[in-house]
């Protein structure tokens, strides 16, 4: 691909230095459809980024777009805070009938605000209110958001440092396989809980990602998650599953914890729940935990009605049967085979993932960044993750065609080989 020099002057002179993704992909995008995005000069890119997991159903999904346009053309409510609206009612009914009841999940639904970190903050606040305790246990390499409460349970040192103040009331524990299998699961955690001299305050809750996306696509085994749920029950701690990036079908099932056969006390959902990339998040919790006073936790944009509309259309289109789940698991086999082949030709590399969330860890920690830049030159958007950005992270849309998936995987392989 021959790239022309785009006019980035207004971004570099006026926009804050905090911008990040635009530095990795130095062009100006203006159109997107399905698994492809185009810049203003007409260059085409396959998207293995999918809005950091916010576009599970692709860009401008035609079914969702038509539903949204119809709603807007009929002057549907766009801003409603937490007022009752027809759009919210339709979403709640579909969510109950399509997601919660078939899985026998006993959850109330809270709309805490537009982003994932809003859902995490609500979950942490609720857990502390229910249990009357302050401490929250999280895990090494976790990422839960950029607001202060979420940062306190996030592992990345660079992101934590941005808080500018001490991040308190959070205690990290080893994630699955953090100690390379040399130590039995939870032996340190449970010892601290049982020892009155350990100095660990009794936690209100434990928060966990079943697959750590930003942490490097670290996959928790189903048996590890099941043991964690049992540990929480034994020690009167709530279990919070952060399903913001891995939920809405990213790992196959609608919720990523389904494989483990557990029912968390609290679940946070965002990113692809709206289906269209519109801001929306949910905090789900067992009915007996609903101890909120009216207005005790709120936000101006907790009622994004256009997002309710596209979310309902996504549930109706993709979750009324298991077609999408089966397609995701089939695509997973294709991705795994390609990464297996790539890793076999790169000494010291490793791959891991579930569903359509995969990572290729390269022996040289700088290699992933070089490969991502080369992939962009070849017409593919792919990002890196991990504590040192050492993992090439693959998040294609769940609705990607087999041909597009194969093309993107060939580009990944080429980028890795050409930058070794």
């Amino acid at each position: 691909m021959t790239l022309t020099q785009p006019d980035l002057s207004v971004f570099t002179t006026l926009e804050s230095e905090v911008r990040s993704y635009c530095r990795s992909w130095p062009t100006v995008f203006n159109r997107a459809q399905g698994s492809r995005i185009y810049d203003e000069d007409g260059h085409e890119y396959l998207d293995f980024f999918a809005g950091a997991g916010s576009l599970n159903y692709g860009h401008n999904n035609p079914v969702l777009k038509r539903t949204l346009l119809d709603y807007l053309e009929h002057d549907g409510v766009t801003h409603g805070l937490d007022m009752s609206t027809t759009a919210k009612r339709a979403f709640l009914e579909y969510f109950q009938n399509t997601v919660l009841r078939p899985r026998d999940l006993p959850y109330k639904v809270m709309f805490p605000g537009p982003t994932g970190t809003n859902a995490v903050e609500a979950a942490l606040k609720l857990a502390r209110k229910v249990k009357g305790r302050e401490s929250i246990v999280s895990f090494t390499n976790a990422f839960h958001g950029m607001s202060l409460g979420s940062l306190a349970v996030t592992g990345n040192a660079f992101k934590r440092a941005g808080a500018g103040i001490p991040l308190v009331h959070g205690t990290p524990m080893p994630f699955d396989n953090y100690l390379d299998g040399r130590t039995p699961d939870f032996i340190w955690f449970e010892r601290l809980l049982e020892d009155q001299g350990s100095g660990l305050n009794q936690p209100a809750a434990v928060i966990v990602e079943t697959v750590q996306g930003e942490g490097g696509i670290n996959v928790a085994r189903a048996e590890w998650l099941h043991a964690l749920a049992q540990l929480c029950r034994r020690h009167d701690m709530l279990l919070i599953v952060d399903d913001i990036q891995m939920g809405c079908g990213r790992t196959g099932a609608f919720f990523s914890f389904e494989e483990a056969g557990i029912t968390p006390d609290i679940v946070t959902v965002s990113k692809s729940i709206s289906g269209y990339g519109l801001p929306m998040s949910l905090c789900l919790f067992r009915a007996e935990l609903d101890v909120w006073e009216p207005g005790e936790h709120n936000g101006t944009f907790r009622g994004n009605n256009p997002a309710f509309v596209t979310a309902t259309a996504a549930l109706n289109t993709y979750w009324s049967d298991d077609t999408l789940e089966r397609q995701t698991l089939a695509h997973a086999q294709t991705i795994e085979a390609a990464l297996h082949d790539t890793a076999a030709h790169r000494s010291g590399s490793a791959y891991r993932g579930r569903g359509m969330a995969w990572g290729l860890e390269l022996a040289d920690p700088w290699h992933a960044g070089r490969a991502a830049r080369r992939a962009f030159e070849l017409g593919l958007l792919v990002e890196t993750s991990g504590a040192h950005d050492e993992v090439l992270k693959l998040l294609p849309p769940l609705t990607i065609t087999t041909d597009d998936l194969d093309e993107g995987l060939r580009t990944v392989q080429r980028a890795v080989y050409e930058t070794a």
Side-chain angles (χ1 to χ4, degrees):
M1 179 184 296
T2 302
L3 297 178
T4 56
Q5 188 63 36
D7 181 7
L8 301 173
S9 57
V10 70
F11 306 109
T12 57
T13 59
L14 189 59
E15 191 178 0
S16 166
E17 293 298 318
V18 78
R19 64 193 188 279
S20 60
Y21 287 116
C22 58
R23 299 179 190 273
S24 300
W25 303 320
T27 192
V28 181
F29 298 105
N30 76 333
R31 186 168 63 89
Q33 208 286 316
S35 58
R36 295 182 182 268
I37 186 169
Y38 304 83
D39 69 18
E40 61 182 350
D41 294 318
H43 298 121
E44 181 179 304
Y45 301 84
L46 258 176
D47 189 358
F48 270 31
F49 173 63
S54 296
L55 296 167
N56 282 1
Y57 313 110
H59 295 272
N60 287 301
N61 183 289
V63 176
L64 310 190
K65 179 169 66 175
R66 184 69 263 161
T67 304
L68 177 60
L69 290 175
D70 288 345
Y71 182 77
L72 296 176
E73 287 169 355
H74 287 86
D75 294 329
V77 174
T78 57
H79 184 270
L81 289 99
D82 68 355
M83 294 184 291
S84 299
T85 65
T86 55
K88 184 198 282 189
R89 179 172 61 197
F91 169 75
L92 285 170
E93 289 174 348
Y94 265 88
F95 192 70
Q96 182 178 48
N97 294 328
T98 308
V99 176
L100 298 181
R101 279 181 177 161
R103 293 162 180 81
D104 197 25
L105 294 173
Y107 294 146
K108 298 288 287 291
V109 180
M110 175 183 179
F111 302 104
T115 72
T117 198
N118 298 128
V120 170
E121 295 285 357
L124 300 180
K125 184 188 289 189
L126 180 61
R128 288 169 170 140
K129 180 178 174 66
V130 168
K131 291 299 182 183
R133 310 178 204 134
E134 298 175 350
S135 179
I136 304 289
V137 168
S138 58
F139 291 94
T140 50
N141 289 309
F143 178 77
H144 296 289
M146 297 296 281
S147 51
L148 292 180
S150 301
L151 278 176
V153 290
T154 287
N156 186 281
F158 173 73
K159 292 179 172 66
R160 290 175 63 88
I165 62 171
L167 297 171
V168 297
H169 308 308
T171 303
M173 289 291 166
F175 191 71
D176 191 12
N177 204 41
Y178 182 75
L179 299 173
D180 299 321
R182 296 190 302 268
T183 303
D185 295 335
F186 308 116
I187 188 170
W188 172 243
F189 188 4
E190 191 146 31
R191 178 66 183 270
L192 292 179
L193 289 169
E194 293 173 346
D195 185 356
Q196 294 299 309
S198 70
L200 176 66
N201 293 332
Q202 175 68 12
V206 175
I207 186 168
V208 67
E209 303 156 273
T210 65
V211 181
Q212 296 181 328
E214 297 302 308
I217 309 295
N218 305 312
V219 181
R221 293 166 296 141
E223 55 267 33
W224 186 87
L225 291 168
H226 195 267
L228 176 61
Q230 292 179 321
L231 177 70
C232 288
R233 283 197 296 272
R234 286 199 302 274
H235 292 278
D236 189 32
M237 302 178 295
L238 298 179
L239 176 61
I240 305 170
V241 168
D242 181 340
D243 229 9
I244 288 167
Q245 188 167 86
M246 296 300 156
C248 303
R250 176 55 57 178
T251 63
F254 188 87
F255 293 110
S256 69
F257 57 80
E258 293 182 48
E259 181 188 41
I262 61 174
T263 302
D265 300 292
I266 304 175
V267 182
T268 59
V269 182
S270 186
K271 290 194 182 285
S272 276
I273 186 59
S274 80
Y276 204 73
L278 299 175
M280 179 177 174
S281 71
L282 309 177
C283 186
L284 312 174
F285 40 82
R286 294 179 184 274
E288 63 268 24
L289 303 180
D290 193 8
V291 297
W292 294 113
E293 296 292 333
E296 187 176 5
H297 188 90
N298 57 39
T300 303
F301 296 100
R302 64 192 183 278
N304 187 348
N305 281 259
F308 294 152
V309 170
T310 53
T312 301
L315 294 177
N316 183 45
T317 305
Y318 295 104
W319 294 101
S320 58
D321 60 31
D322 65 351
T323 301
L324 181 66
E325 180 176 351
R326 288 188 286 105
Q327 177 180 293
T328 296
L329 297 177
H331 282 335
Q333 294 180 334
T334 301
I335 298 171
E336 183 174 14
L339 293 184
H340 173 81
D341 181 64
T342 306
H345 292 85
R346 297 258 66 84
S347 178
S349 62
Y351 63 93
R352 51 188 177 263
R354 275 182 62 199
M356 292 182 70
W358 288 83
L360 177 65
E361 183 174 357
L362 298 163
D364 173 5
W366 302 104
H367 189 178
R370 295 196 303 271
R373 288 189 292 275
R374 180 58 180 148
F376 172 73
E377 295 169 355
L378 296 171
L380 177 73
L381 302 188
V382 62
E383 68 168 331
T384 59
S385 68
H388 306 286
D389 288 321
E390 73 280 11
V391 177
L392 206 59
K393 180 182 178 185
L394 280 58
L395 290 177
L398 306 185
T399 53
I400 194 170
T401 66
T402 300
D403 288 345
D404 280 354
L405 181 62
D406 290 340
E407 178 185 336
L409 291 171
R410 287 194 300 269
T411 304
V412 168
Q413 290 179 323
R414 179 179 170 186
V416 169
Y417 296 156
E418 291 182 0
T419 55

